[in-house]
Amino acid sequence: MTAIRDARPCPSGAGPDGPGPGDVPPVAAAEEAAARELSDRAEGEAYVASVCFKHGPPRLLGVELEYTVHDTADPALPLTASRLAGALGPHAPRTLVPDSPALPLPAGSALTLEPGGQVEISTTPHSSWRSLCDAADTDLAAVTDLLARAGLTLGTHGIDPFRTPRRLLPTPRYAAMERRFAPIGPGGITMMCSTAALQVCVDAGERAHVAGRWAAVHALGPVLLALFANSRHHAGADTGFASARWRSVMDTEPCRTLAPEPADDPVAAWAGRVMDTPLLVLRGDGDTWDAPAGLTFADWVAGRGAAARLPRPTVADLDYHLTTLFTPVRPHGYLEVRYLDAQPPESWAHAAALLAALLSGPEVVDRVVERCAPVTDRWSAAARHGLADPAIAAAASAVAGLGCAALSALDLPDRTITDIADTVDRRLRAAGRE
């Protein structure tokens, strides 16, 4: 998604109509900043802290809607790059069609692809939930129509129920990732090529509230993962997991996927983790981007080990490294919540709106942390058992009541609030009968 802070007023020194006399052009200034070499670990941590956690009143929202893509008549039929490219036309991303114009969707969303051909619709930031829903639904309808003309349709689950994982995009990044994850097991290729998520993007909040919002959005993880889990069946088999999608994430590479430990200063903790995480890929001019095994970004800055043979890392290298962490919540200036299974296209807003409501104010955030406390670290149980886990089900019931009561803060029509509350209630009651 476009960084939420990109919609903020221009930084001081540049007016809304562009740079003033004597100013460095913005593109040139950005390129110069990105090319700057990092001198030491402290400089790297300071940079991560500055770009990953932006402070301000929480007012902007965004979503990233991911879906697997299937043949309408035979959903188990393999998807081909040429068929998908033909369907998406001028909206096809350049990872699929290198010379594509990669036009945005009608309401401004970006269209990208995951390695297995899953589509991802990333909205621009919106200041109201109603406008966000309108834009996301407009662009979702546009993609649905493009695919339908080619005999393709969107999936309705967080994992492909029909096909085994197969990489469609030939980029050096994804090829290196596939090689890196293969010795660990099937989780990596499954995560890359068979899964789809509903990602919700919210502001980090004002400085005094960042730690509380960070704690709350993580505390909600096992509860909302279980409440909206819908990825039990994969490649024609019952996995035994309520969310096989999340199991694949957990089985990929723990250093870049596990939830962080609680911390009084999450900003410093995140900056330290980024520096201590091994490189996943190492960009270059050729087609082979494999990174030296075990080389952390901190090692690279310090010139240790294999880094002695590499050029010093730049700010751009650190920016790229940030994209290779796949934690349940990833800070990009805003907070990108990544733990929800993709929902059916007609009901994606239910889970996203409930999450946004549960972060709608400091008082609600404090109550979220209290009600989720007994199950805050039960990610594995949530993925395996979902709401069949009694402790998670109890926390989900308490959180659902709190969230549904807070939906009125989102500027939604009454009928939509009722629909979301009914959906959540049905899920809880169905779990109670199992």
Side-chain angles (χ1 to χ4, degrees):
M1 182 191 135
T2 302
I4 277 182
R5 292 297 161 188
D6 288 352
R8 299 291 185 205
C10 296
S12 58
D17 298 320
D23 288 341
V24 177
V27 172
E31 290 176 350
E32 182 179 349
R36 179 172 57 81
E37 292 183 353
L38 295 165
S39 59
D40 56 24
R41 178 187 180 115
E43 184 182 10
E45 289 189 355
Y47 177 77
V48 171
S50 70
V51 299
C52 288
F53 292 87
K54 303 292 188 182
H55 305 125
R59 65 179 186 86
L60 294 177
L61 300 158
V63 292
E64 300 174 20
L65 308 177
E66 293 178 1
Y67 296 100
T68 55
V69 178
H70 303 269
D71 181 82
T72 303
D74 181 3
L77 193 69
L79 181 65
T80 65
S82 60
R83 188 177 183 189
L84 186 56
L88 299 178
H91 301 287
R94 295 190 181 101
T95 52
L96 180 66
V97 181
D99 60 351
S100 171
L103 300 180
L105 295 168
S109 300
L111 180 64
T112 56
L113 294 176
E114 294 299 309
Q118 310 97 305
V119 297
E120 181 178 44
I121 300 165
S122 300
T123 70
T124 58
H126 288 263
S127 58
S128 81
W129 189 260
R130 188 178 300 214
S131 68
L132 171 63
C133 287
D134 288 344
D137 285 340
T138 294
D139 288 341
L140 179 56
V143 172
T144 301
D145 185 57
L146 289 172
L147 294 174
R149 294 175 192 173
L152 297 171
T153 189
L154 297 174
T156 58
H157 297 82
I159 202 166
D160 191 331
F162 308 104
R163 302 170 301 204
T164 56
R166 182 178 69 91
R167 184 166 57 87
L168 198 68
L169 298 184
T171 66
R173 172 186 170 114
Y174 293 142
M177 287 173 61
E178 184 175 351
R179 289 189 292 268
R180 171 67 164 266
F181 294 148
I184 302 172
I189 189 67
T190 300
M191 178 192 74
M192 291 170 61
C193 300
S194 290
T195 65
L198 165 62
Q199 298 176 16
V200 185
C201 301
V202 298
D203 278 322
E206 296 181 272
R207 187 181 299 274
H209 297 146
V210 166
R213 286 172 67 81
W214 181 257
V217 78
H218 283 89
L220 283 167
V223 171
L224 295 186
L225 170 62
L227 183 59
F228 292 99
N230 70 359
S231 55
R232 185 181 180 98
H233 295 89
H234 175 45
D238 185 340
T239 67
F241 277 71
S243 179
R245 179 193 70 88
W246 195 251
R247 180 185 68 165
S248 74
V249 175
M250 293 188 299
D251 288 347
T252 297
E253 195 172 40
C255 64
R256 69 185 72 254
T257 60
L258 286 181
E261 294 293 328
D264 293 335
D265 185 350
V267 179
W270 178 257
R273 177 174 178 171
V274 168
M275 298 299 291
D276 289 331
T277 298
L279 301 181
L280 178 58
V281 297
L282 187 62
R283 294 180 297 168
D285 295 330
D287 293 332
T288 303
W289 287 15
D290 301 70
L295 183 73
T296 69
F297 203 92
D299 292 332
W300 192 6
V301 172
R304 291 190 292 262
R309 301 188 298 273
L310 299 175
R312 291 194 64 82
T314 65
V315 169
D317 291 320
L318 184 49
D319 283 333
Y320 195 83
H321 179 59
L322 288 169
T323 71
T324 67
L325 277 77
F326 311 120
T327 47
V329 181
R330 191 163 63 178
H332 289 291
Y334 56 91
L335 305 181
E336 179 189 74
V337 181
R338 303 169 53 86
Y339 46 67
L340 293 167
D341 281 359
Q343 302 298 299
E346 68 276 7
S347 59
W348 68 265
H350 295 177
L354 186 67
L355 172 61
L358 287 163
L359 298 171
S360 58
E363 299 82 5
V364 179
V365 164
D366 289 344
R367 294 168 71 186
V368 161
V369 173
E370 292 174 5
R371 296 184 185 191
C372 294
V375 297
T376 296
D377 60 349
R378 292 179 61 83
W379 293 95
S380 295
R384 179 180 289 276
H385 304 296
L387 294 178
D389 182 289
I392 292 176
S397 181
V399 162
L402 178 61
C404 289
L407 284 170
S408 58
L410 299 186
D411 183 36
L412 287 171
D414 289 344
R415 65 181 183 280
T416 304
I417 292 175
T418 300
D419 190 25
I420 295 171
D422 287 347
T423 296
V424 171
D425 184 60
R426 284 196 301 272
R427 288 176 175 271
L428 291 169
R429 286 190 283 108
R433 292 193 296 268
E434 293 178 354

